[in-house]
Amino acid sequence: MELENYQKELNKILKGCDICKAKMCNFCPNGKRKKFLKEKIKKLSSPKKFF
């Protein structure tokens, strides 16, 4: 459930980024949010291994 919410939010941001002409992601708050969301999605989607 939480993973789906992160993916939906990331998709919304990516649609805006496709429209953006500035392409200054380092300064854009959406760029920082994208990075955070991608990390969360990667963490939640990766299988956890216990040894």
Side-chain angles (χ1 to χ4, degrees), residues 13-49:
I13 292 173
L14 290 174
K15 285 180 187 176
C17 290
D18 289 341
I19 296 169
C20 179
K21 303 288 187 222
K23 302 296 180 199
M24 298 179 76
C25 297
N26 292 335
F27 301 110
C28 180
N30 283 340
K32 294 174 185 170
R33 185 72 180 151
K34 277 193 310 190
K35 184 177 179 181
F36 171 77
L37 289 171
K38 286 178 183 179
E39 288 175 3
K40 282 288 198 179
I41 290 170
K42 185 177 179 182
K43 237 185 237 184
L44 292 173
S45 65
S46 66
K48 296 180 179 178
K49 297 179 182 178

